[in-house]
Amino acid sequence: GAVVSQHPSRVICKSGTSVKIECRSLDFQATTMFWYRQFPKQSLMLMATSNEGSKATYEQGVEKDKFLINHASLTLSTLTVTSAHPEDSSFYICSAAPLAGADTQYFGPGTRLTVL
Amino acid sequence: GQQLNQSPQSMFIQEGEDVSMNCTSSSIFNTWLWYKQDPGEGPVLLIALYKAGELTSNGRLTAQFGTTRKDSFLNISASIPSDVGIYFCAGQRFGGSQGNLIFGKGTKLSVKP
């Protein structure tokens, strides 16, 4: 149980294009999902907290107009990187927190984004 | 963003040896978590600690929540080659599923067969 999937697992795009990454909780419902970014040999840094049915909360320094987050249902959150630049190339990982009563977050397998 | 102080940064050990790594923080956490991440994969939860002083085991892994709530350690006994990977500690300040995690910088473990 508690499986989180991400799609795609890898994506290569041209500079200036937009890329959408999906995060799904497969066997549980999640009111809250988190989006992290991880650069090579670095730790995970929280980008934003995504709440179902409401606006995401972004961490300081993360541009909300560049990283669009939509959490339309209790099992799906999407991150869209708009007008991607090479410096946006990174490993993007989501996590999902089950509904009230659980203190644990479950992580997806990550999406490797490469912007040419 | 804020990060925890995790040490050591890397370890090279012989198969069969025990391993110990720890995390410290200047702030109190309500929950400490330990994750393992393989290359190109997301972190996988190893052990979750919810009470100060709590000592929890998961097979060959043992972790403790420091009594001051500002530190935690993870021990791996009798290491095997598949233990190779990066281990992250994470602290959660706020209770419940709403609290975001703050991660340590990771400990890279290499095991020689």
Side-chain angles (χ1 to χ4, degrees):
Chain A
V3 178
V4 177
S5 70
Q6 280 184 242
H7 178 80
S9 58
R10 290 176 178 270
V11 57
I12 300 173
C13 69
K14 291 183 179 179
S15 188
T17 61
S18 295
V19 174
K20 180 186 284 189
I21 303 170
E22 293 184 349
C23 177
R24 292 182 186 272
S25 55
L26 298 185
D27 51 3
F28 66 96
Q29 293 183 322
T31 53
T32 306
M33 291 184 174
F34 302 88
W35 286 96
Y36 295 83
R37 181 167 51 185
Q38 185 178 34
F39 291 108
K41 299 184 180 180
Q42 299 288 322
S43 186
L44 285 78
M45 298 300 291
L46 181 68
M47 297 175 66
T49 302
S50 169
N51 298 298
E52 187 265 338
S54 63
K55 291 183 178 179
T57 303
Y58 290 81
E59 293 300 298
Q60 191 173 7
V62 178
E63 300 174 58
K64 61 180 181 181
D65 294 330
K66 181 170 182 60
F67 298 99
L68 301 178
I69 292 174
N70 183 277
H71 193 154
S73 77
L74 289 172
T75 59
L76 172 65
S77 176
T78 61
L79 168 68
T80 302
V81 183
T82 63
S83 187
H85 291 138
E87 56 264 34
D88 297 326
S89 299
S90 187
F91 194 49
Y92 291 86
I93 310 173
C94 72
S95 71
L99 293 178
D103 288 316
T104 304
Q105 297 176 22
Y106 298 92
F107 283 84
T111 296
R112 172 72 61 192
L113 170 63
T114 302
V115 184
L116 302 177
Chain B
Q2 181 183 355
Q3 286 189 320
L4 303 175
N5 298 313
Q6 184 172 349
S7 64
Q9 198 171 12
S10 62
M11 301 181 74
F12 296 85
I13 63 169
Q14 202 75 34
E15 182 178 1
E17 290 183 354
D18 296 343
V19 171
S20 184
M21 60 192 78
N22 70 85
C23 270
T24 60
S25 169
S26 58
S27 304
I28 290 174
F29 287 102
N30 290 316
T31 303
W32 281 93
L33 303 156
W34 285 93
Y35 291 88
K36 179 175 183 265
Q37 186 178 28
D38 292 327
E41 300 289 332
V44 174
L45 181 66
L46 300 174
I47 293 180
L49 302 160
Y50 301 110
K51 287 173 57 177
E54 180 181 354
L55 182 70
T56 298
S57 293
N58 177 9
R60 293 178 295 107
L61 277 62
T62 302
Q64 183 158 30
F65 193 146
T67 54
T68 64
R69 293 162 64 192
K70 294 182 179 180
D71 64 304
S72 177
F73 72 75
L74 174 70
N75 287 342
I76 304 173
S77 63
S79 58
I80 59 178
S82 61
D83 290 334
V84 165
I86 301 178
Y87 292 79
F88 290 99
C89 63
Q92 188 174 32
R93 190 160 291 126
F94 303 106
S97 59
Q98 306 302 314
N100 61 287
L101 300 178
I102 299 171
F103 281 85
K105 293 189 176 183
T107 296
K108 184 177 181 180
L109 178 63
S110 301
V111 180
K112 298 180 202 174

